[in-house]
Amino acid sequence: MNKMPKWADAVLIPLISILLAFFFSGLVIWAIGKDPVVAIKTMVQGAFGSTSGISYTLYYATNFIFTGLAVAVAYHARLFNIGGEGQAMLGGLGVTLVCLAIPWPHWTLALPAAMIGGALFGAGWAFIPAWLQAKRGSHIVITTIMFNYIGAALLGYLLTKVLKVKGSMLTESARFPEGAHLPNFSEIFAPIGINFSPNAPANMAFFVALLCTFAFWILIWKTRLGYEIRAYGQSETAAKYAGIAPARIVIIAMLISGALAGLMAINNVMGEAERLIDNAVEGAGFIGIAVALMGRNHPIGILLASILFGFLYQGGAELSFWESIPRELVVVIQALVIMFTGALDNMVRMPLEKLFVALNRKKEA
Amino acid sequence: MSVQTDTGRQATAAPTASAAPAIELRGISKAFGPVQANKDISISVAKGSIHGIIGENGAGKSTLMSILYGFYKADAGHILINGQEVHIADSQEAISAGIGMVFQHFKLVENFTVLENVILGAEDGGLLKPSLAKARKLLKQLSDEYELSVDPDALIEDLSVGHQQRVEILKALYRQADILILDEPTGVLTPAEADHLFRILKGLKEQGKTIILITHKLREIMEITDTVSVMRRGEMTATVKTHETSPEQLAELMVGRKVLLRVDKKPATPGKPVVEVENLRVIDEQGVERLKGISLEVREGEILGICGVAGNGQTELLEVLGGYVNGTGTVRMNGEEIDLSGKHSNGQTRRARGIAHVPEDRHDEGLILEFQAWENMVFGYHHAPEYQKNALLMDNAGIKAMTQASMDKFDVRPPNPKLEAKSFSGGNQQKIVLAREIERNPDLLLVGQPTRGVDIGAIEFIHQQIVALRDEGKAILLVSVELDEILSLSDRIVVMFDGQIMGERLPAETNEGELGLMMAGITDTNTNGEKAQ
């Protein structure tokens, strides 16, 4: 073995990167005259110190798991799906239409139906860019970005003109029926004696996200389709040699990607807001890119990265609330994490690789 | 430009320095991470001589030359030019030290003229006209002196490969190179072009230039060099005078054991035709006709060798038969026609018809370098029922076991199914591809460049496997730019030029000279005309 061990690649490098990011965040906080130690304590306390904090952290994480998986599926086919935001918006529309369609008797019926609705709409929104890429060669990055704007405009129109409740001032849809209410953590965990705050947002969708994470792993590494997606992603010419149709892979990978992004709506729309509001996605589609990048497009990595970003979201909110540290600074911290874990990956990797090589040499000698 | 190189240039002019070797390397070492690419290399090349450097792929030849040309910095060691130590930090400094390099892949601007390419990066000022005039004069002089004739106003994209290479040499000479390094210069040339190149090199040598020739072809070393250094696994194993050695000895030095240089095979006993091709045409994406009506057949138990200079349609022939590109015409496999352009014309359906394909480019087509060996071992056959666990999942454990068995049988080293394809050497990568295709027991095996970038030791094994498949009564269509390989493996030889078949020969009744002429598109009167169109 003359390379770095696997655990160092998977655990040590991200860990060092995150610590570096936090170190520089601390410097920034210190530079504006606040105490970095207090700040980090506030963040950790706010994100993990209470059942309410944990609930918020996992709620955000759920969003990021869905969008992170969405980006990762496409990325395995070397497609850069920047359109998670728009696909998640449209997923919200699908979930809303399903939930408002009939007075659902129970969530166990409403959830599968809403999942189908969200996935179909998300996949549908991804289909057009996918088709254009596969058949016309239009670059998927450009088209998916544009479709984010089209999606936002479409939803704005629908919320103000079509879905809005008559007589209401709010640009939002009607509230979903009682039967479409997903159990939140307080309702799920009360029977086993763990008390979550009843107002905290984490809900059943978190477990759906975990299931999707597992299904993602099966799909990518255990099935023929996953094999073909990865083969196409690694080498289009080789895929062609093997008789794998490129257009088919592009379209299927993007449909799965869009469906996963659309599924996010069962968390934020169905599980939390219980109605469709404007800008419900709140940038989670873009965070999904960072999550997939940081999680190396691997389900476990994505899960951990999602929780990290959930922590940054929730802890950051607490930080601006309690420490009068401006929200913008929280964005700076998030940006530093993305920068160190994604863009500056090699900065940590290179010296570490050299170190391991040197250590191995010594061992051999 | 550093001070050291300046003194080096002065030394060239000084008559006292003429006794010193043109280039001397002392104890050069270079490691890339864990890989020791060059280990304590020392050579000395006399002024006005041709020095060959021979070694297998990955032996460290290119690394050594890249250090000399300033692309890499050596971890240790010294470079002396004309007896003066120099520090070459980039290619500019290499050029001012009098070193010129002709790369395997030319570095020319396709839509510039020859003249513009020659002065590129060496213009004398803001205005081009004086430089161009100067270059034109020099080019004229050089082409008279060394048979280096090229039309100075031709666009590079209109020139043949052989002429493009001359432009590269002219570029180096224009920059007043005294030491010329050529990296695998004959890989893309016809035998006639290669001979011409060697005449040029001999002419340059007579004028006192020093030439370093990097190659893996023993024949070229024997033909043109004065001294030769052999590299193996990053080390210089020997430096000998060429006239005191033999190809067999050099091969042994390269590989580290005795090597059989020719293929041992029984005469073929061909049976009925397996594949019959009639009037096959392929038009590429740019609308250029690459195959202009090819007709041939390959029978059971024979190897049909296709030779030609790269880019004359052999690639397309393999690709259309392998289902990679669409074509028109008729192809019958075991008597049944194959769909050449329909919706279902692809690699999968070809494999189902008993056609296996070892593609010319194993890095971009035959393998997925990031995939582990076991994943590559079913690549293209991953739909086969025996590789599935159930309707949903692939039988990964079963595939790994099968891979292990294949790797043992084909002597793939290291025999580890979980190693990524990119971690294997060229020869072992090729064995993986070959194992995959042969183990499926095809009726027809398409093989493109089976030993390109493969070390001599593995070449022997690969050739044996191909002959063994023939002896089982399978049909084999072999495409190779290596004439030696075509001549020694084939039972019949077809020469292609410009998308057409120039003629057919039996290996025993032809030679490199005749094939070389045919490869250049020159048909002599004896060619059986009905095959030629």
Side-chain angles (χ1 to χ4, degrees):
Chain A
M1 197 65 184
N2 46 19
K3 256 172 44 187
M4 239 185 352
K6 251 189 173 163
W7 62 267
D9 183 42
V11 181
L12 203 57
I13 291 179
L15 202 68
I16 295 175
S17 301
I18 290 168
L19 288 178
L20 277 172
F22 280 146
F23 172 73
F24 282 98
S25 304
L27 279 186
V28 176
I29 291 170
W30 174 76
I32 62 163
K34 305 277 176 188
D35 185 347
V37 179
V38 173
I40 192 83
K41 267 189 190 156
T42 311
M43 281 184 84
V44 173
Q45 181 67 28
F48 297 115
S50 65
T51 52
S52 161
I54 292 174
S55 179
Y56 269 101
T57 302
L58 291 183
Y59 163 74
Y60 289 126
T62 307
N63 285 341
F64 303 150
I65 292 172
F66 282 119
T67 53
L69 292 176
V71 173
V73 153
Y75 195 78
H76 275 290
R78 274 294 178 281
L79 296 164
F80 207 10
N81 179 12
I82 312 277
E85 190 80 6
Q87 290 142 20
M89 279 182 217
L90 267 287
L93 180 64
V95 165
T96 303
L97 293 179
V98 168
C99 287
L100 291 176
I102 55 166
W104 292 94
H106 194 261
W107 69 267
T108 46
L109 296 174
L111 180 61
M115 281 171 66
I116 292 170
L120 274 182
F121 272 64
W125 204 240
F127 174 74
I128 307 167
W131 188 87
L132 288 171
Q133 169 80 65
K135 302 287 183 188
R136 289 274 167 271
S138 317
H139 204 288
I140 200 112
V141 170
I142 311 288
T143 46
T144 49
I145 284 187
M146 294 199 296
F147 266 68
N148 287 338
Y149 292 105
I150 302 173
L154 176 67
L155 244 66
Y157 167 77
L158 290 175
L159 280 174
T160 48
K161 302 279 180 194
V162 184
L163 290 169
K164 191 168 80 98
V165 182
K166 276 218 168 63
S168 164
M169 297 290 285
L170 301 166
T171 53
E172 56 182 44
S173 76
R175 229 189 133 71
F176 297 168
E178 272 301 302
H181 167 75
L182 289 183
N184 60 25
F185 272 23
S186 133
E187 288 154 317
I188 296 168
F189 289 107
I192 55 166
I194 305 171
N195 288 317
F196 274 89
S197 147
N199 297 323
N203 59 74
M204 216 60 207
F206 175 69
F207 299 100
V208 178
L210 291 185
L211 268 180
C212 284
T213 311
F214 181 68
F216 175 96
W217 179 72
I218 296 279
L219 169 75
I220 294 295
W221 280 284
K222 303 283 164 189
T223 68
R224 274 196 306 284
L225 178 61
Y227 180 88
E228 293 196 341
I229 286 176
R230 284 184 297 130
Y232 171 79
Q234 292 293 348
S235 169
E236 185 173 345
T237 47
K240 231 174 126 189
Y241 154 78
I244 298 168
R248 185 175 153 263
I249 296 297
V250 168
I251 290 177
I252 291 180
M254 279 303 287
L255 285 179
I256 297 172
S257 177
L260 280 165
L263 274 177
M264 188 194 116
I266 62 163
N267 187 45
N268 68 334
V269 175
M270 190 181 186
E272 203 256 338
E274 303 199 351
R275 61 196 189 281
L276 188 62
I277 57 173
D278 206 14
N279 190 26
V281 182
E282 290 184 296
F286 294 115
I287 296 293
I289 299 168
V291 164
L293 193 71
M294 195 179 159
R296 303 266 145 77
N297 301 301
H298 190 282
I300 306 232
I302 289 168
L303 185 64
L304 294 176
S306 297
I307 292 172
L308 173 73
F309 274 89
F311 155 73
L312 287 175
Y313 255 55
Q314 170 57 14
E318 295 282 316
L319 201 59
S320 57
F321 190 74
W322 294 107
E323 291 297 314
S324 65
I325 286 175
R327 258 212 96 86
E328 286 69 26
L329 199 75
V330 178
V331 179
V332 169
I333 296 174
Q334 287 168 3
L336 281 169
V337 170
I338 294 174
M339 196 170 85
F340 274 98
T341 54
L344 297 181
D345 181 72
N346 269 341
M347 194 179 73
V348 178
R349 181 180 300 273
M350 295 290 213
L352 217 59
E353 253 172 11
K354 273 198 183 141
L355 183 73
F356 272 102
V357 168
L359 283 178
N360 280 336
R361 277 231 183 100
K362 216 170 241 177
K363 227 182 276 168
E364 277 162 25
Chain B
M1 211 180 295
S2 71
V3 181
Q4 285 92 338
T5 54
D6 278 342
T7 54
R9 295 290 287 165
Q10 281 159 15
T12 317
T16 49
S18 60
I23 284 199
E24 193 178 355
L25 302 179
R26 286 187 193 156
I28 297 280
S29 290
K30 173 77 189 168
F32 296 100
V35 183
Q36 188 76 37
N38 283 164
K39 211 182 295 173
D40 193 21
I41 303 245
S42 299
I43 44 171
S44 157
V45 181
K47 206 164 159 40
S49 72
I50 300 183
H51 187 94
I53 294 184
I54 194 164
E56 300 187 328
N57 281 48
K61 299 170 296 196
S62 297
T63 306
L64 189 64
M65 291 308 120
S66 299
I67 290 170
L68 199 49
Y69 203 60
F71 284 166
Y72 300 135
K73 194 178 173 308
D75 299 336
H78 306 277
I79 302 173
L80 282 79
I81 293 188
N82 297 315
Q84 301 282 324
E85 177 154 10
V86 292
H87 296 275
I88 298 168
D90 58 34
S91 52
Q92 282 300 326
E93 289 184 11
I95 290 166
S96 28
I99 300 173
M101 183 116 173
V102 176
F103 293 93
Q104 198 172 356
H105 303 284
F106 306 145
K107 320 259 182 215
L108 296 169
V109 184
E110 291 266 303
N111 53 358
F112 272 21
T113 64
V114 170
L115 219 48
E116 285 168 331
N117 267 286
V118 166
I119 64 159
L120 187 65
E123 309 90 349
D124 289 332
L127 290 174
L128 286 180
K129 211 167 174 184
S131 310
L132 285 170
K134 184 180 140 201
R136 188 181 296 275
K137 221 174 104 193
L138 194 71
L139 242 54
K140 173 101 181 52
Q141 189 191 330
L142 289 171
S143 64
D144 295 344
E145 232 171 299
Y146 304 112
E147 286 191 70
L148 268 167
S149 54
V150 195
D151 174 8
D153 298 310
L155 291 178
I156 295 297
E157 57 194 9
D158 297 333
L159 294 180
S160 71
V161 194
H163 279 82
Q164 290 186 14
Q165 192 173 52
R166 285 182 211 167
V167 178
E168 284 284 10
I169 297 174
L170 285 169
K171 260 169 70 180
L173 295 177
Y174 183 75
R175 286 157 179 74
Q176 300 182 335
D178 290 320
I179 300 158
L180 206 57
I181 304 170
L182 295 105
D183 189 3
E184 300 280 358
T186 58
V188 288
L189 302 181
T190 64
E193 283 175 321
D195 286 344
H196 190 132
L197 173 70
F198 289 164
R199 281 204 302 280
I200 294 171
L201 295 183
K202 280 175 186 157
L204 288 168
K205 174 184 140 181
E206 276 157 25
Q207 296 295 317
K209 306 273 185 198
T210 309
I211 291 159
I212 296 181
L213 178 71
I214 302 168
T215 181
H216 67 274
K217 293 183 185 164
L218 293 165
R219 195 160 39 88
E220 293 172 3
I221 291 287
M222 298 311 293
E223 193 176 326
I224 186 167
T225 62
D226 300 312
T227 47
V228 52
S229 297
V230 184
M231 287 189 74
R232 174 152 54 97
R233 291 193 199 132
E235 289 180 80
M236 197 66 90
T237 48
T239 297
V240 288
K241 288 209 161 55
T242 307
H243 64 86
E244 290 171 3
T245 185
S246 66
E248 286 76 16
Q249 192 198 358
L250 287 176
E252 199 179 326
L253 284 167
M254 276 165 74
V255 185
R257 63 177 170 84
K258 280 226 179 297
V259 190
L260 201 61
L261 284 178
R262 44 182 74 254
V263 183
D264 240 352
K265 65 176 176 123
K266 299 182 298 213
T269 47
K272 64 178 175 54
V274 173
V275 63
E276 296 156 276
V277 176
E278 272 168 40
N279 196 25
L280 185 59
R281 290 170 191 275
V282 169
I283 294 171
D284 72 6
E285 283 167 359
Q286 278 82 44
V288 180
E289 194 170 34
R290 292 291 177 180
L291 277 191
K292 302 174 177 172
I294 294 281
S295 299
L296 51 81
E297 63 173 33
V298 192
R299 288 171 290 170
E300 287 174 341
E302 76 165 352
I303 300 174
L304 177 66
I306 311 260
C307 71
V309 180
N312 278 287
Q314 310 96 306
T315 303
E316 285 77 8
L317 177 61
L318 285 182
E319 286 181 344
V320 70
L321 292 175
Y324 191 100
V325 297
N326 288 340
T328 58
T330 324
V331 174
R332 275 189 297 276
M333 186 68 197
N334 294 320
E336 275 179 65
E337 202 171 322
I338 282 183
D339 180 12
L340 290 176
S341 57
K343 205 177 165 200
H344 298 290
S345 166
N346 61 38
Q348 308 266 3
T349 50
R350 291 292 201 282
R351 289 181 182 91
R353 299 289 291 271
I355 301 177
H357 181 189
V358 177
E360 290 183 301
D361 187 338
R362 63 176 168 271
H363 284 177
D364 281 343
E365 292 172 10
L367 292 168
I368 302 235
L369 293 178
E370 310 292 326
F371 273 18
Q372 294 174 3
W374 67 272
E375 291 175 295
N376 272 303
M377 202 55 105
V378 292
F379 190 53
Y381 301 99
H382 52 279
H383 283 286
E386 58 268 38
Y387 298 141
Q388 318 302 324
K389 192 144 100 192
N390 52 42
L392 188 66
L393 304 179
M394 289 174 82
D395 182 14
N396 290 356
I399 296 170
K400 278 176 203 155
M402 179 275 291
T403 304
Q404 186 72 63
S406 285
M407 287 178 110
D408 292 341
K409 188 172 166 194
F410 279 78
D411 190 30
V412 178
R413 279 178 262 180
N416 176 2
K418 288 190 182 171
L419 211 58
E420 285 175 349
K422 64 179 177 194
S423 316
F424 291 92
S425 71
N428 284 303
Q429 288 176 345
Q430 189 71 313
K431 284 184 195 169
I432 292 176
V433 178
L434 213 62
R436 177 180 76 209
E437 301 301 327
I438 288 181
E439 287 294 277
R440 298 293 303 188
N441 200 24
D443 294 332
L444 169 67
L445 181 69
L446 310 170
V447 203
Q449 320 296 352
T451 54
R452 177 186 280 169
V454 168
D455 28 274
I456 293 192
I459 288 177
E460 198 183 342
F461 182 86
I462 288 169
H463 283 172
Q464 283 164 0
Q465 293 301 319
I466 293 173
V467 171
L469 192 70
R470 178 202 77 164
D471 292 343
E472 281 174 34
K474 309 295 185 185
I476 290 157
L477 183 71
L478 166 77
V479 166
S480 176
V481 291
E482 304 281 348
L483 264 183
D484 291 344
E485 183 165 49
I486 292 283
L487 277 165
S488 59
L489 266 184
S490 312
D491 300 312
R492 280 189 298 137
I493 297 172
V494 159
V495 185
M496 278 183 74
F497 172 74
D498 192 27
Q500 292 169 325
I501 288 179
M502 293 301 294
E504 187 183 316
R505 294 287 184 273
L506 291 174
E509 294 166 11
T510 185
N511 55 47
E512 294 199 354
E514 186 190 23
L515 293 177
L517 282 178
M518 289 165 79
M519 282 161 69
I522 301 158
T523 0
D524 59 3
T525 43
N526 307 338
T527 313
N528 34 353
E530 79 275 13
K531 288 272 180 187
Q533 191 49 265

